[in-house]
Amino acid sequence: MRAQDSAIETVTVAAGSETAAVAGQPPTAGQTAATGPATGLAGPAAGAGQTPHGTHAAGGTLLAALAVAAFSLTFPATAWALEGLGPWTVTTSRIVLAALIAGACLLARRVPVPHRRHWAGLLVVAAGVVVGFPLLTTLALQTSTTSHAAVVVGLLPLTTAAYSAIRTGSRPSPTFWAAALAGAAVVIVFALLQSGGAPTTGDLYLFGALLICAAGYAEGGRLARHLPGWQVIGWALVACFPAALAGAVFAVLAEPVDLTGHAVAGILWLAAGSQFLGLLIWYRGMAAIGVTRASQLQLAQPLLTLVWSVLLLGEHLTPAAPLTAAAVLVCIAVTQRARS
């Protein structure tokens, strides 16, 4: 998935806001980080007690929702890519292509290298959303259907919210947690019904992907409060480029390659749509409305992926899908209304 935003222009940071940012205090709806003028790709970053230029809770929710729509195509695109490429080739190639896009944008905008204090968080983002999640989910999709993987990954909002609460010290309301847990329970039941009541090897890959991606999302959301979101993902991708390029060369030599139309379309979407653009607007949305609140919008992602799995892959849904959809949407509504 993606890395984060860096500042294109020199960012002016108020002393109080900077202290909160370093301390890892989570942003709330309507709060943003101090920013300079937002031009081109550079977007406002959320911070403590400041209102961004034209950005508010509704705008942040819209950005996060658009990102979820982009992410919902990730598994179908991966399935397409696997039709002609091996799992290691898919993972390394998407990183290389996305890093080239990100690097070109950073170079064109003459973005300075992030401050030393941000690199620990950037490396967590790189490990979680650039490398770990794509690799583990790609391995899982070798044996799991797209629809099954989608419902298992529906646990991501809960794991992201839990990690964020531990990492930043935020305290979502009991109503928020109750709705989040209910949504997670619905997803777990749905996943177990689909797999016959026992987790599979693919499920183990998916659960591992959940844990590592949650850390990357939460760290990215925290960094996006004082670095533009597109730069967060951009620098994380660039940091992974040398290793990914070497890995791609070895993978292409070791795995069969058949560049079908589906394989090419799948890898292009994974690189440009899921790995860069989706993460760009995702972190910007989280910066505006907060990590925990934005993460609950991802409860809708499995449902969207189920639709794509039918339309694009011809998979057959179980009768439980509509009930799961209704229950998850209720949980989303409750979490969005609950005050953090």
Side-chain angles (χ1 to χ4, degrees):
M1 304 209 135
R2 65 149 291 226
Q4 290 98 7
D5 338 345
S6 250
I8 288 180
E9 299 84 10
T10 301
V11 179
T12 304
V13 182
S17 175
E18 180 65 10
T19 301
V22 174
Q25 298 297 325
T28 57
Q31 291 181 325
T32 60
T35 77
T39 33
L41 289 171
Q50 294 185 336
T51 302
H53 301 291
T55 300
H56 45 69
T61 300
L62 177 60
L63 288 174
L66 290 173
V68 168
F71 296 155
S72 71
L73 282 163
T74 298
F75 286 174
T78 301
W80 273 7
L82 287 172
E83 291 180 12
L85 303 170
W88 292 93
T89 302
V90 171
T91 301
T92 54
S93 296
R94 66 183 284 183
I95 296 173
V96 168
L97 292 175
L100 289 174
I101 297 172
C105 292
L106 292 168
L107 185 62
R109 302 297 303 177
R110 298 180 182 178
V111 178
V113 176
H115 192 277
R116 181 174 55 188
R117 69 176 179 273
H118 296 316
W119 276 103
L122 287 171
L123 291 178
V124 172
V125 172
V129 303
V130 175
V131 179
F133 186 83
L135 175 60
L136 292 174
T137 53
T138 300
L139 292 173
L141 285 171
Q142 288 189 291
T143 56
S144 296
T145 64
T146 299
S147 56
H148 179 80
V151 293
V152 174
V153 173
L155 290 173
L156 185 56
L158 179 60
T159 53
T160 301
Y163 180 91
S164 178
I166 295 171
R167 175 69 175 85
T168 67
S170 63
R171 291 179 174 82
S173 68
T175 300
F176 178 96
W177 283 113
L181 288 170
V186 169
V187 169
I188 291 174
V189 170
F190 186 83
L192 291 178
L193 288 174
Q194 291 234 315
S195 62
T200 64
T201 301
D203 289 332
L204 297 180
Y205 281 130
L206 292 170
F207 287 131
L210 287 175
L211 296 177
I212 194 169
C213 188
Y217 274 173
E219 284 298 312
R222 184 183 64 83
L223 284 171
R225 291 166 42 230
H226 28 222
L227 294 179
W230 76 274
Q231 292 178 29
V232 174
I233 183 58
W235 286 113
L237 284 165
V238 169
C240 294
F241 179 76
L245 181 60
V249 172
F250 283 109
V252 168
L253 294 176
E255 295 177 332
V257 175
D258 182 14
L259 294 180
T260 64
H262 276 181
V264 172
I267 202 69
L268 289 178
W269 176 259
L270 290 174
S274 299
Q275 197 85 58
F276 183 68
L277 180 60
L279 285 170
L280 184 161
I281 58 178
W282 174 243
Y283 284 135
R284 189 167 178 179
M286 283 198 296
I289 65 176
V291 173
T292 52
R293 191 169 288 224
S295 70
Q296 298 312 302
L297 288 172
Q298 278 200 305
L299 284 171
Q301 185 173 326
L303 312 176
L304 293 173
T305 300
L306 290 177
V307 174
W308 296 126
S309 70
V310 173
L311 297 179
L312 299 178
L313 304 176
E315 293 186 5
H316 195 69
L317 298 184
T318 65
L323 295 177
T324 304
V328 169
L329 289 175
V330 169
C331 292
I332 292 174
V334 173
T335 56
Q336 291 304 297
R337 291 180 65 85
R339 295 183 61 187
S340 297

